[in-house]
Amino acid sequence: MPQDAQILQAQALFQTTFGHAPSAQAYAPGRVNLMGEHTDYNGGVVFPMPLALGTAVALSFGGPAGMIQARSADFPETVKRPLGDTAKDCWTDYLIGTLQVFFEGHPPTEGLQITVATDLPVGSGLSSSAALEVALLRAMCQLTGRNLTPVEIAIMARKAENTYVGMPCGIMDQYSVSVGTPGSALFLDTRQLTSEPVALPDSHNFVIIHSGLSHRLSEGGYEKRVTECTAACAALEVEFLGDLSPADLHRITALPDPLNRRARHIITENDRVYRAIDALKSSDLGRFAALMTESHQSQSADYAVSLPEIDALVTGAIAAGADGARLTGGGFGGSIVAFVEKSRVASFTQKITQGFPNARVLAVT
Ligand code: ADP
Ligand code: MG
């Protein structure tokens, strides 16, 4: 199982850091999004797939009362903070925020010792944050005997990220990571909180390529898009942009730029999710691939979440033999996902590696 190595690493790190074995350990995967970018906080639909890369958390009650002591294999030091601390722009915010939501204002008197290990690239658009939150909640359920459904875990994890970390994300990441299964793509309605698996073609792989640019480089861009969508909703007198369809596109021409382009991306992207799933179900892979590339153009020109280097990587991926390619995740750096016929994957990855020295192939799935 892909999670075994991460669990073993988190357990070993726990033993060396705290001098005893953990009482509980759990794992959650990262995800790639195949279609539907930024539609989740707009009440729309999305098409993510959990990956065979992910994060393990090991933990125990212990240490000083009311404190957490946390160590991640990716960070140099053990961090010690009060469980009731306010956010401090530290990676442990994700732990404290999630624990505060879990304990609902009734924190334990004991302390908590926690270790984290992952093979996900952090801050690359593959949901390392949701994997960390969901793995922690799963481990806390084990430790305390509390029973939470996967959907309840997703809702708690999103709440922690929204209210404590201060990242106004939708529920796609937490839902797909908590409810989904690695390798199985999910059509998710973020408003109804319902999902169904969608079969992927045997003939193709999705190749995930890191651009080499971490998305923390332009912090604040995501939040700005959320604010712009809220402003567009107010001007259009709708609750969510996801409530609109291509038949409503004429309404957005009255909006000032860039709100008109932001709204156009959400409306057309939401529609592309339905069309992409329809294309897959009718085995029209050419149409599916074209929708992926169209999605990238919309993210770049209308939603302005791409970067010149990412645009060049998408163009390069198509030149290297991908049938379609697009930015995946929140944007402003991060990763792209390319749809590549299996017989071409080897030459495709070779061309990408040669042509883009900063890019890294993360997964072929
Ligand atoms: P993404 O979810 O796309 O990887 P985010 O910016 O949403 O990117 O989340 C990345 C942040 O989550 C990191 O900066 C760090 O604070 C936290 N994080 C995720 N995984 C780990 C980990 N294994 N160890 C420590 N912190 C992590
Ligand atoms: Mg994240």
Side-chain angles (χ1 to χ4, degrees):
M1 298 290 274
Q3 66 255 45
D4 291 350
Q6 303 315 312
I7 295 256
L8 284 173
Q9 200 191 341
Q11 287 170 325
L13 184 63
F14 194 99
Q15 183 72 45
T16 52
T17 307
F18 301 115
H20 60 101
S23 309
Q25 46 276 307
Y27 172 91
R31 63 100 192 93
V32 60
N33 190 25
L34 304 178
M35 192 67 79
E37 226 60 73
H38 293 268
T39 48
D40 62 344
Y41 55 82
N42 281 295
V45 289
V46 289
F47 189 32
M49 174 169 64
L51 296 169
L53 300 169
T55 300
V57 168
L59 48 78
S60 276
F61 283 122
M67 305 287 283
I68 68 156
Q69 292 173 288
R71 179 76 205 265
S72 167
D74 289 52
F75 289 78
E77 283 164 10
T78 303
V79 180
K80 188 171 155 190
R81 292 174 63 186
L83 196 45
D85 208 1
T86 49
K88 291 220 164 5
D89 201 18
C90 170
W91 71 270
T92 52
D93 286 354
Y94 290 87
L95 303 181
I96 293 186
T98 303
L99 290 167
Q100 287 186 5
V101 172
F102 181 82
F103 288 120
E104 295 170 331
H106 305 287
T109 45
E110 301 102 311
L112 271 168
Q113 297 170 317
I114 304 173
T115 55
V116 179
T118 192
D119 58 356
L120 271 170
V122 170
S124 305
L126 301 185
S127 270
S128 71
S129 59
L132 179 57
E133 294 148 8
V134 169
L136 174 60
L137 287 168
R138 286 176 174 170
M140 286 305 297
C141 285
Q142 249 184 57
L143 183 73
T144 60
R146 184 169 172 189
N147 248 321
L148 292 170
T149 66
V151 174
E152 285 169 338
I153 285 181
I155 291 169
M156 281 188 170
R158 180 196 179 189
K159 187 173 172 193
E161 195 149 340
N162 286 173
T163 62
Y164 189 88
V165 177
M167 169 66 173
C169 59
I171 201 158
M172 169 173 73
D173 295 357
Q174 293 80 7
Y175 187 104
S176 56
V177 155
S178 179
V179 178
T181 313
S184 173
L186 278 186
F187 169 58
L188 161 61
D189 183 326
T190 65
R191 193 107 183 248
Q192 307 299 328
L193 283 188
T194 51
S195 59
E196 61 175 80
V198 177
L200 296 174
D202 288 333
S203 57
H204 282 65
N205 284 128
F206 289 97
V207 182
I208 302 161
I209 308 163
H210 194 296
S211 64
L213 299 167
S214 160
H215 69 197
R216 287 189 74 86
L217 289 176
S218 63
E219 274 177 69
Y222 190 100
E223 291 82 342
K224 186 143 188 259
R225 294 294 169 276
V226 176
T227 310
E228 288 169 341
C229 288
T230 309
C233 282
L236 294 166
E237 297 179 342
V238 293
E239 191 183 355
F240 288 112
L241 291 175
D243 293 341
L244 301 174
S245 76
D248 298 301
L249 278 172
H250 65 278
R251 292 177 59 189
I252 67 169
T253 52
L255 295 176
D257 193 68
L259 298 191
N260 52 358
R261 287 184 290 129
R262 307 297 185 251
R264 185 166 59 201
H265 168 73
I266 298 301
I267 295 168
T268 59
E269 183 76 355
N270 206 41
D271 185 55
R272 270 187 292 275
V273 174
Y274 290 109
R275 285 159 64 207
I277 284 163
D278 182 64
L280 285 180
K281 286 184 174 166
S282 47
S283 300
D284 189 346
L285 302 188
R287 191 153 61 94
F288 176 76
L291 285 164
M292 281 184 73
T293 310
E294 207 180 277
S295 163
H296 181 77
Q297 283 153 359
S298 177
Q299 291 186 71
S300 180
D302 279 348
Y303 217 60
V305 288
S306 187
L307 296 173
E309 294 89 339
I310 305 263
D311 290 344
L313 189 55
V314 164
T315 307
I318 289 164
D323 290 332
R326 64 190 288 281
L327 171 62
T328 184
F332 305 103
S335 306
I336 72 160
V337 56
F339 187 57
V340 186
E341 214 174 280
K342 281 184 178 163
S343 61
R344 292 205 194 127
V345 166
S347 74
F348 172 81
T349 53
Q350 197 189 5
K351 283 179 191 156
I352 291 293
T353 311
Q354 278 168 359
F356 296 89
N358 296 328
R360 198 158 45 99
V361 174
L362 298 175
V364 177
T365 183

